[in-house]
Amino acid sequence: AQNIGPTPSAPAPSPPQSAPAPTVPEMSNAEREKAGRAFLMTTGVSLEDDLTDSSTPQHKALKWITKQDTLRVPIPSNPDDLGTSKARKFVQRYALATFYYATEGDNWFYPFSFLSGKDECEWYEIHSEGEEVYFWGAHCEGGTDEGAVSQIWLPNNDMAGTIPQELEQFTNLRVFALEYNLNVTGTLPDAFHSMKDLSVIVLSNNMIEGKLPSSMRKLENLEFLAVDDNNMEGNLNHIRELETLKFVYLEDNFFSETLSDDTFANWPKLKQLDLSDNDFDGTVPASLLNHDHITVLDLHDNSLSG
């Protein structure tokens, strides 16, 4: 028989069907708490004792983020993930919750959406005065998906308690301000060693004690420092090398040291300095009187001569 066309070939076999990826079962609240505690402990975000003691802000924050938080952020499991965007959301949300509990957030005058189901980058309110716009609360740069907390500003908000060590997790912080809360106590945590972008610290009119922490030496972009009207003490050693400082308000504390020209030799940009009502002694440094940029200088109620 004569072929009148190509011989039909057998149909090609269908590619094998891949099995659907198994779904990862949702962790129970107890499993989430266990995983969260393990991650925070092994990465050094918080101390084991703080995470296990039910009275601490850290334990309360862990319980909230793993069991009560309606956003149900994923719990990172690999310690190597610390610092990645995957872990950042969990860690900064936990750190903000710790900050909330440590400063008695349930009694704040205004909650600024803290511990709500919103993304933590939305825990703020916009306040305007004339043409000036301010973000009060916790504000992020970069939006909610990849955003890192860049500002914590909670003025005059009936805060109390202490500032927790977990503050050190906010390595992108530019502004940290808790002025006029009156009842924030304890010492400043030594938490500033990785905050290279921090330019503003305002903690005026509280009851903070102790010395300026040594990690402040690392604040290479700090321009504005106000810890006036507290109960702080010690010397200026940890801030004397900060060449970016422009505004320094330390009045109404118990700071003490013998002032000299060397004390302020590395503050060439200084514009305003208030050291009044402290325990400084020595002679008024000539370098301050002849400074190129100073417009405000207040040294009264110390033990200075000259």
Side-chain angles (χ1 to χ4, degrees), residues 1-2 11 30 43 68 73 127 141 160 178 185 193 220 231 243 249 267 272 281 284 290:
Q2 184 178 1
T43 54
Q68 301 164 354
V73 294
H127 176 76
E141 293 184 353
L178 309 177
T185 62
H193 43 81
E220 59 188 52
N231 296 314
E243 297 180 354
Y249 305 101
W267 294 356
Q272 298 188 11
D281 60 23
V284 175
N290 300 318

Side-chain angles (χ1 to χ4, degrees), residues 194-263:
S194 296
M195 298 182 184
K196 61 180 180 62
D197 296 324
L198 188 60
S199 62
V200 175
I201 298 175
V202 185
L203 301 172
S204 310
N205 294 87
N206 283 289
M207 297 179 66
I208 298 170
E209 303 173 346
K211 302 177 180 181
L212 296 172
S214 62
S215 57
M216 279 191 165
R217 294 175 180 269
K218 301 291 186 179
L219 298 177
E220 59 188 52
N221 286 298
L222 188 65
E223 296 183 359
F224 195 111
L225 175 63
V227 295
D228 53 282
D229 296 275
N230 281 282
N231 296 314
M232 299 192 70
E233 61 183 11
N235 56 42
L236 309 185
N237 284 350
H238 299 320
I239 61 172
R240 68 170 71 244
E241 303 295 330
L242 301 182
E243 297 180 354
T244 54
L245 280 172
K246 296 179 180 179
F247 303 90
V248 180
Y249 305 101
L250 306 182
E251 69 269 20
D252 295 296
N253 281 286
F254 301 97
F255 291 111
S256 61
E257 71 171 274
T258 300
L259 300 184
S260 68
D261 285 330
D262 291 340
T263 308

Side-chain angles (χ1 to χ4, degrees), residues 26 86 91 115 145 176 187 261 274 293:
E26 171 72 16
K86 177 181 179 181
V91 170
L115 302 200
D145 292 336
F176 181 55
T187 60
D261 285 330
D274 193 339
H293 303 295

Side-chain angles (χ1 to χ4, degrees), residues 149-170:
V149 173
S150 59
Q151 176 177 292
I152 297 174
W153 190 6
L154 296 161
N156 195 20
N157 202 38
D158 286 346
M159 299 171 73
T162 60
I163 300 169
Q165 182 66 32
E166 284 75 9
L167 180 72
E168 66 186 349
Q169 299 304 320
F170 304 113

Side-chain angles (χ1 to χ4, degrees), residues 32-49:
R32 282 175 58 85
E33 182 177 3
K34 181 179 179 181
R37 181 184 296 109
F39 180 81
L40 294 169
M41 186 177 63
T42 57
T43 54
V45 172
S46 292
L47 299 175
E48 181 178 6
D49 288 347

Side-chain angles (χ1 to χ4, degrees), residues 263-284:
T263 308
F264 309 101
N266 293 305
W267 294 356
K269 299 180 180 180
L270 190 63
K271 295 182 178 180
Q272 298 188 11
L273 175 66
D274 193 339
L275 303 181
S276 60
D277 289 295
N278 279 284
D279 294 322
F280 294 109
D281 60 23
T283 303
V284 175

